[in-house]
Amino acid sequence: MTRRTLVLAVIVPGLAVAGVVAQQPPTQRPRIPPTGAIKKVRDNLYVIPGAGGNTTVFVTQNGVVLVDTKLPNNGEPILNQVRTVTDKPVTTIINTHSHPDHIGSNDYFPASVEKVTQENTRKWMAANTRVASNPAVMPTRTFTDRMTLGSGNDRIDLYYFGAGHTDGDAFIVFPALRAMCAGDIFAWKMAPLIDPAAGGSVLALPVSLEKAAKGIPNVDTVIEGHGDVNTWQGFLDYIAFSRALNDAARAGRGKKTADEIAAELKPRFPAFTKEQLLTDMEYGGTPLSRAVINVNIAFQELAKQ
Ligand SMILES: [Zn+2]
């Protein structure tokens, strides 16, 4: 991979997706699917795919909780999908992290809707003048390591275990349903985009993920930040891959190329090192190419230690 490609790949997560699309030649232009049809995950928990990150819909006794709101201008399509399953008002929005494809349509919803993020996510949103100049996007409530919203069957537990995709990646757990939203620290069943400009770190990633695996009880369904719904076992397999990539980068630094290291991970982790482009993957790149990028980022992080 050329240095230019690497730099572009690394900065992608911090940019507005529209800007990224404009930089790419037509043949490589990723297709961003529109807001899709709402799908039931379990009981009163649903997911709406498309137009950026997954939007999770949790219908409680008093109203609807949304986790993430896609790219800007998708509020109406999101609400239209919610209206096919409930007439209750949206009362709460939780954002898993600060990227524009997860917070973009916060401002469509009334100012009375509570908006909750991890504290570092609020910091990155406040540092982005385009976001901060629109108070309707900004969180109204934050947490540091742990917070609980609601009670009984409506209970939601929020957790933060350290940096990965950014340094504000929240895990949102619905204990009554044994389900969890992982945001982009686990998306598209591949090594994550790492956004160093928002505190993301390849070296911190497996540490944070292993803390999540230990600290979050009784989950069997995991909603990824983008793409399909996965299982807890799928999440554990992904953590093992993240740990192996990290260990291989540390051991191979100065001796092997990132391509060689990623290729060596293929036999043990075929699911996370596919060489085919996934469908509906907005940002381009195969799982294997993402693994190569993350080994290179690990090299850069190790060089700074
Ligand atoms: Zn993201």
Side-chain angles (χ1 to χ4, degrees), residues 115-243:
K115 298 178 195 82
V116 185
T117 71
Q118 203 274 343
E119 176 57 30
N120 292 337
T121 289
R122 189 206 60 81
K123 181 186 75 181
W124 295 121
M125 289 168 75
N128 180 331
T129 46
R130 223 174 10 176
V131 172
S133 66
N134 185 357
V137 180
M138 293 297 291
T140 55
R141 191 174 173 188
T142 64
F143 74 102
T144 307
D145 297 314
R146 184 78 204 267
M147 184 162 76
T148 292
L149 303 172
S151 61
N153 285 343
D154 291 343
R155 176 177 169 142
I156 303 172
D157 291 328
L158 295 90
Y159 297 85
Y160 174 72
F161 294 104
H165 174 67
T166 69
D167 68 0
D169 304 323
F171 294 87
I172 321 300
V173 177
F174 309 97
L177 300 174
R178 302 176 61 89
M180 167 173 105
C181 296
D184 282 2
I185 202 165
F186 183 29
W188 279 307
K189 294 182 187 64
M190 67 165 90
L193 284 162
I194 299 293
D195 182 2
S201 163
V202 169
L203 299 187
L205 178 72
V207 180
S208 304
L209 290 170
E210 284 159 2
K211 283 183 187 163
K214 264 198 189 151
I216 299 174
N218 304 321
V219 167
D220 50 39
T221 300
V222 181
I223 301 170
E224 299 186 20
H226 298 249
D228 293 335
V229 176
N230 211 317
T231 60
W232 184 257
Q233 186 56 51
F235 181 56
L236 296 182
D237 293 346
Y238 167 76
I239 296 172
F241 168 62
S242 169
R243 168 56 65 197

Side-chain angles (χ1 to χ4, degrees), residues 97 99 102 165 184:
H97 64 290
H99 286 157
H102 295 260
H165 174 67
D184 282 2

Side-chain angles (χ1 to χ4, degrees), residues 42-56:
R42 182 176 300 166
D43 301 338
N44 52 329
L45 187 70
Y46 304 83
V47 67
I48 306 172
N54 283 326
T55 297
T56 297

Side-chain angles (χ1 to χ4, degrees), residues 4 17 61 70-71 121 126 161 213 217 245:
R4 194 185 136 67
V17 170
Q61 220 160 21
K70 308 191 179 297
L71 288 162
T121 289
F161 294 104
L245 185 146

